[in-house]
Amino acid sequence: MRKQLSSATAGLLLLVGVSAAAAQDVVVIQPEQDTVIREYVKKKPMASVSLLGVELNIGTALPDTVELYEVPDVQYRYVVVDGRTVLVDPSTRKIVKVYD
């Protein structure tokens, strides 16, 4: 009985740890910041790049060959991929938001 309880406890702790790690990857962009980003991207449209085999999902890392463009006063960068604007964390190159 004690061994089963230990296994159950270990499994629960593992699940909680995985959930906490996943929650840390969530990026919350405030509405005011989102408005600034959208307006800037409209004013400074960039040519779309094509990335074969790269899915535009939150958390997907873009290759180093993709040039990221600055949005003033925002920590993130943007690029247009296959006609869709994506917001990217420049330190990890991971997509944090996909705009349609």
Side-chain angles (χ1 to χ4, degrees):
M1 176 73 173
R2 178 169 256 193
K3 187 175 183 178
Q4 288 177 334
L5 185 57
S6 295
S7 296
T9 302
L12 181 61
L13 290 174
L14 179 63
L15 182 61
V16 169
V18 168
S19 296
Q24 291 175 354
D25 290 341
V26 174
V27 173
V28 177
I29 299 170
Q30 299 301 319
E32 301 82 25
Q33 191 177 32
D34 193 57
T35 300
V36 168
I37 293 165
R38 286 178 184 271
E39 288 177 4
Y40 185 81
V41 168
K42 279 184 186 178
K43 290 179 192 174
K44 302 280 186 175
M46 295 293 166
S48 182
V49 297
S50 181
L51 296 176
L52 297 175
V54 175
E55 292 187 29
L56 298 182
N57 297 319
I58 294 173
T60 299
L62 297 180
D64 291 336
T65 56
V66 175
E67 185 174 358
L68 305 178
Y69 301 98
E70 183 176 347
V71 178
D73 303 320
V74 176
Q75 72 184 64
Y76 302 108
R77 305 293 182 257
Y78 78 101
V79 64
V80 180
V81 180
D82 298 327
R84 298 174 75 190
T85 301
V86 295
L87 203 58
V88 180
D89 181 338
S91 64
T92 62
R93 300 190 64 83
K94 289 184 179 180
I95 296 172
V96 296
K97 184 162 186 171
V98 179
Y99 292 95
D100 287 318

